[in-house]
Structure formats: structure tokens, C-alpha cells
Amino acid sequence: MAEADQTEKVQTRKIQTLRGQCLCGAVRFEIAGAVTEPHACHCTQCRRQSGHYVVAAEAPRDAVTFLEDRGLKWYRSSAKAKRGFCGDCGSALFWASDDGDELSFNLGCLDAPTGLTLASHIFVDEKGDYYDLDDALPKFTSDGEAMETP
């Protein structure tokens, strides 16, 4: 996701093991250990990559094990981060900051049940004009400022 500042406001939860994969199975992974509570990122890059906003959480990179990575490709999306996707089926999977030890993963690629619940919205000042955010979850702008919830 874009900046990590907003995710520092979310709590970390201990998860036994999460499993996920791309649409075709050319990228499969497991996450063992602590992950952050998920956030919905409404930044322009996430919306362009996914076609809508992205719901993601973070885990320490060393907690992620790739069971299959033959399709994994990385795209340099900014001067400070890259995005992981499947080069075979196109599934958007990961976001990684160059200077962090965490890996963001998109919840849409996880096997259920995840045990996770959406905790916040970030980059709401960049959200698409075709939808509203009517829930009572915390909302943060691209500079990390909290916005009022309805």
C-alpha cells in the first residue's frame, strides 16, 4: 500500500497460519505469525492496479513462505516501493517498501477463513468519485491525518 504511516495506527494480531494464492496457482504462499489488522487503501496506485480499492494487511517478510513462486513478478511502482503480482494470470498480490521489513498482502488472495476484520481506510482523499465510505471505521488521508467518520 502506499505509505506505512497509517498502518501504524492499526493493531497487530497473532494468526496461526494464513494461506493464499493467485488465481492460477503459479504463486502460493503461507504467512505464519503476527499480521496487522487489514486496511482498505484508496490510493490512486492501488485503484489503478486492482480496478478498485485494495484491502491488505502486513506481515514481517520472514513470516512469509512461498510454496510456489514461478509466476511471481515485481513491478517498481514508485521510487520507494514495488508491487508483486502473478505474471501468468495477472493477480495483484503484494506491496513492499524498499526500506521496510514488512510485506503487505492483498486479502482477496487469502484462503478462508482468515479471522481478519477490516480496521480502517487509508488514502481516502484519493478515493474514486464513484463510491462513498459510509461505515464508521477510522479514515486517514494520504498525509496520515484522521478524518471524521459519519
Side-chain angles (χ1 to χ4, degrees), residues 96-116:
S97 172
D98 293 341
D99 60 359
D101 291 328
E102 294 79 30
L103 182 64
S104 290
F105 54 94
N106 294 350
L107 267 60
C109 60
L110 294 179
D111 299 339
T114 66
L116 300 171

Side-chain angles (χ1 to χ4, degrees), residues 75-99:
Y75 171 72
R76 167 84 30 211
S77 57
S78 73
K80 58 184 174 182
K82 58 187 178 181
R83 292 171 182 269
F85 66 98
C86 177
D88 293 347
C89 68
S91 295
L93 303 167
F94 306 107
W95 183 89
S97 172
D98 293 341
D99 60 359

Side-chain angles (χ1 to χ4, degrees), residues 36-94:
T36 62
E37 292 290 340
H39 59 271
C41 184
H42 301 269
C43 79
T44 303
Q45 285 190 7
C46 281
R47 289 187 304 105
R48 289 188 190 276
Q49 183 189 33
S50 71
H52 198 36
Y53 60 87
V54 166
V55 176
E58 292 181 348
R61 289 182 198 220
D62 61 4
V64 180
T65 302
F66 287 96
L67 306 173
E68 179 63 64
D69 65 357
R70 73 179 184 278
L72 184 59
K73 305 289 183 206
W74 291 94
Y75 171 72
R76 167 84 30 211
S77 57
S78 73
K80 58 184 174 182
K82 58 187 178 181
R83 292 171 182 269
F85 66 98
C86 177
D88 293 347
C89 68
S91 295
L93 303 167
F94 306 107

